[in-house]
Amino acid sequence: MWKTVLRRILIMIPQLLILSLLVFILAKMMPGDPFTGMINPNSDPKEIARLRQEYGLNDPVWVQYTRWLGNMFHGDLGQSYIQKVPVTSLIWDRAVNTFWLSLMTVVLTYLIAIPLGVTAGRHQDEWQDHGVQIFNYITYAVPPFVFYILGIWLFGFTLGWFPISGSVSADVNPGTFAYFWSRFYHLILPSILCALISTTAIVQYLRTGIVDNKVEDYVRTARSKGVPENIVFNKHILRNSLLPIAAFFGNTITGLLSGSMVIESVFSYPGMGKLFLDSIGQRDYTTLTALILLFGVLTLIGNLLSDIIMSIIDPRIRIK
């Protein structure tokens, strides 16, 4: 298996080169100027021209691309036009926030989805199943931003249980217990709301897998041999039904690490998703291209991770 993993990693190299070229060209095709948000409309056009020359924006596209690619191999993703800081440090600061939000969301998603899916599948067409299906329909039909706004209105404004913006309170000192508690407290509401929205596919796949596996021949054989029902369900039905969930796991992690643009924008949470949207609006090309390339890397890693998890759980599956 490890030879296959190494081969897949090597294949990622040309894929990432092609992705980097497409990302760079598409970013350059965006209308507007990266200095639009920095310069007063009444500024001297000569000043704008000087800045473009200083940052090398007047060079041919292929020159800019090769320079950017060479710097990237040395760990230099450039400097943000807007924030005036290295893109690497800017993304790192946001990635830490997104990591903790993603971790809580993934844990809560599976803690909610797996019991619901098992309940619905085990009690097919009973009131438990109907209740889970109604929950699924609601979370699937309601647009995420509407769901998040309703959550903010109910638990933030009306009840006042949770903060509704930011990642930490401004009046706490870093390194103290109050600081870490504040960071955790700011994560609770967005992670719960995001997890509730993310359970839909997992619940449905798990329920469908359980319903399908309950009528398989190997299940009938186990029951005919007098195997207790709990063992039949846990060892045969549930284990095989978890395969699609395992396939989702890698992509779920990397997808959340890329940042949920909607949840981070609604909560003004300083993560990578919000940074991505801000970079588009501000024409911050260096930050934008670095983020898209990072998201592409995470997607490729997520696909490989899902295949590895599947091959570990089910020996019949071999990644190629």
Side-chain angles (χ1 to χ4, degrees), residues 1 26 40 62 85 107 114 165 187 194 201-202 216 220 231 271 276 306 318:
M1 183 180 72
L26 290 175
N40 190 302
W62 67 270
V85 296
V107 172
I114 291 179
S165 64
L187 288 172
C194 194
I202 298 176
E216 291 290 339
R220 294 195 184 100
I231 296 179
F276 179 75
S306 294
R318 292 290 180 266

Side-chain angles (χ1 to χ4, degrees), residues 1-2 4-5 8 239 242-244 246-247 303-320:
M1 183 180 72
W2 296 113
T4 305
V5 172
R8 288 278 295 271
R239 182 176 179 180
L242 288 173
L243 288 177
N303 292 332
L304 178 59
L305 184 60
S306 294
D307 292 340
I308 293 174
I309 293 173
M310 286 284 289
S311 65
I312 292 174
I313 293 179
D314 191 346
R316 298 171 300 176
I317 298 175
R318 292 290 180 266
I319 59 176
K320 299 179 180 180

Side-chain angles (χ1 to χ4, degrees), residues 94 97 152 164-168 186 190 260-271 274 278:
R94 302 297 185 96
N97 291 333
I152 290 175
I164 59 174
S165 64
S167 61
V168 66
H186 279 74
S260 175
M261 300 179 194
V262 179
I263 192 74
E264 291 181 1
S265 296
V266 172
F267 278 85
S268 295
Y269 186 80
K274 189 174 186 302
D278 293 341

Side-chain angles (χ1 to χ4, degrees), residues 87-103 183 187 253 256-259 264 269-276 291 294-295 298:
V87 173
T88 305
S89 61
L90 181 62
I91 292 179
W92 174 254
D93 292 339
R94 302 297 185 96
V96 172
N97 291 333
T98 296
F99 171 79
W100 290 116
L101 177 61
S102 302
L103 180 63
R183 288 185 67 90
L187 288 172
I253 294 176
L256 289 171
L257 283 175
S258 300
E264 291 181 1
Y269 186 80
M272 290 200 294
K274 189 174 186 302
L275 178 61
F276 179 75
L291 283 172
L294 177 60
F295 295 161
L298 290 175

